[in-house]
DNA sequence: TAGATTGTTAATCGATTAACAATC
DNA sequence: TAGATTGTTAATCGATTAACAATC
């Protein structure tokens, strides 16, 4: 339990990709798949796929391949996708509104259950059946481990701290600000401007060709 | 010009982070900054920051540090952030709508200039001053190198091909589908469900502590 | 000049890949 | 059994980091 036997972060980031490919195979009623085939679909090398899985156990049948349903099941357990997760969202602006309605979330078992904002004009209004609450008047613990932060950048840090205090253990941060949450809170940053900047960098290198 | 002298992708992904930190320093009217200070703000090691810069040239003054404005300028040139970029957006759903209004884009010089959709109910309507066009009736070349794809997953590939045909060279793909664009087109994938899945994976490991 | 900090080299670390023995 | 494909080891590759000579 103390020994970490560290799993590489790139491996973890690839699991959802494998999961998605397996879903496609399941929908096509494929029952067994080779590492070669699955890796090709996922855009990685077969040996990398097998190596990635090896951190978690043995899921294949030698000489045959991987039973799609079984592997799907195992990965869903590893990633906790076998159960529903509640999430709260802070900052009901444009992006926040879009995420509330984003169908992908519920399809993967993520449900936004509470909404917070600071704007008095928004507080009390109902979005997708959820009443927007005053973030400064949160009472009691949230029944959610995930927090999605789409507030303006300057409010990012205080929002993160607030959510962490209320029991949030994982934060998806869209603000572009680096967050320093308390201990025991995981953060992932999604920065859309950075993504475009990386693309424009590559545009300049394409030109050279 | 042919020699690639490959710049690591992780280095490129950090440039926007440095850029943002330098902007903050500029706004605080700091004129010079050490690699130590800047790296701390960016969340990396000082040696990594210096190494990253070294791929592009020498920007510092030994014994002193880096002139904020100068470095900002140089990075903005490297990343092409010194000029405006037009982008087109395909799929004016919830996410698409949010991105059109996302203030971060214009602040970094990205401007969405044309909107496309397939839904007859949407075609012809105006969003933020831009008329939504029928994606199947695009005429002529687009005056944009960047395409943002927020269509439903099943339409992802055909949309990518269409945009590439119309001159788009860089694609930001929100659909969760792997794209196979033509040669000479760069793609970056943003998959919000994957981000949440990675978080829930880490939730389970936190529990162990 | 003495002190500080860069730019760069070399060492370390970690992730990817190829190769193959194990085994279905 | 013969053929196929896994799981794993070992080799390769590439990125991060420490250390320090160069130099402001």
């Amino acid at each position: 339990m103390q020994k970490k036997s560290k799993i590489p972060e790139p491996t973890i980031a690839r699991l959802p990709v494998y999961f998605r490919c397996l879903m496609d195979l399941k929908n096509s009623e494929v029952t067994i798949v080779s590492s070669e085939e699955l890796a090709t679909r996922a855009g990685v090398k077969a040996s990398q796929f097998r190596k990635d899985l090896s951190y978690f156990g043995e899921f294949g049948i030698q000489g045959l391949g991987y039973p799609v349903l079984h592997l799907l099941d195992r990965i869903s357990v590893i990633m906790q996708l076998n159960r529903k997760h509640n999430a709260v969202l802070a900052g009901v602006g444009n992006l926040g509104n879009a995420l509330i309605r984003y169908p992908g979330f519920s399809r993967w078992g993520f449900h936004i259950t509470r909404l917070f904002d600071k704007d008095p004009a928004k507080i009390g209004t109902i979005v997708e059946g959820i009443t927007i609450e005053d973030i400064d008047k949160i009472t009691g613990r949230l029944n959610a481990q995930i927090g999605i932060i789409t507030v303006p950048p300057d409010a990012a840090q205080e929002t993160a701290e607030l959510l962490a205090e209320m029991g949030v253990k994982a934060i998806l941060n869209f603000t572009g600000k680096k967050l320093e949450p308390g201990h025991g809170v995981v953060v992932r940053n999604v920065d859309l401007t950075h993504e475009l900047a990386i693309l424009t960098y590559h545009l300049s290198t394409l030109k050279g060709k």
Side-chain angles (χ1 to χ4, degrees), chain A:
Chain A
M1 256 285 171
Q2 8 233 48
K3 195 76 177 300
K4 277 241 144 180
S5 121
K6 209 64 196 76
I7 292 160
E9 194 64 23
T11 292
I12 292 152
R14 282 188 293 266
L15 292 182
V17 181
Y18 301 151
F19 185 80
R20 199 182 274 272
C21 294
L22 287 162
M23 275 301 222
D24 290 347
L25 289 165
K26 181 189 171 190
N27 291 336
S28 316
E29 312 200 350
V30 175
T31 57
I32 206 144
V33 67
S34 68
S35 59
E36 192 60 47
E37 165 71 13
L38 195 124
T40 304
R41 284 168 177 257
V44 303
K45 290 262 162 74
S47 54
Q48 178 160 78
F49 171 71
R50 296 200 301 272
K51 177 77 171 165
D52 282 341
L53 288 189
S54 76
Y55 289 106
F56 302 99
E58 307 186 3
F59 310 107
I61 303 163
Q62 279 170 338
L64 259 179
Y66 299 83
V68 171
L69 289 179
H70 177 245
L71 184 53
L72 205 44
D73 193 58
R74 299 298 300 269
I75 293 183
S76 81
V77 169
I78 291 165
M79 301 227 82
Q80 305 255 80
L81 295 173
N82 58 331
R83 62 179 198 78
K84 300 215 180 303
H85 293 269
N86 288 341
V88 299
L89 184 144
V92 193
N94 294 314
L95 192 53
N97 257 289
L99 297 180
I100 295 160
R101 296 174 174 85
Y102 187 57
F105 285 164
S106 56
R107 230 180 287 129
W108 284 56
F110 300 108
H111 293 283
I112 294 175
T113 52
R114 290 176 76 174
L115 301 176
F116 300 109
D117 208 296
K118 273 200 160 168
D119 182 353
K122 287 177 186 162
I123 294 163
T125 64
I126 297 172
V127 178
E128 293 286 300
I130 308 166
T131 306
I132 299 177
E133 301 172 62
D134 186 338
I135 194 164
D136 294 320
K137 289 181 186 146
I138 305 181
T139 53
R141 289 223 126 199
L142 303 169
N143 183 27
Q145 293 190 291
I146 299 173
I148 300 172
I149 302 188
T150 45
V151 301
D154 286 343
Q157 180 60 28
E158 56 170 314
T159 304
E161 287 169 17
L162 240 145
L163 294 185
E165 239 171 77
M166 299 298 154
V168 161
K169 293 270 172 285
I171 291 176
L172 191 55
N173 172 32
F174 286 88
T175 67
K177 284 273 178 188
K178 197 177 137 206
L179 297 182
E180 315 272 6
H183 176 74
V185 178
V186 205
V187 177
R188 279 193 73 85
N189 301 300
V190 176
D191 194 313
L192 303 178
T193 53
H194 287 195
E195 298 296 329
L196 284 186
I198 293 167
L199 282 176
T200 54
Y201 169 82
H202 286 296
L203 277 181
S204 67
T205 67
L206 282 180
K207 292 281 176 53
K209 287 195 193 172

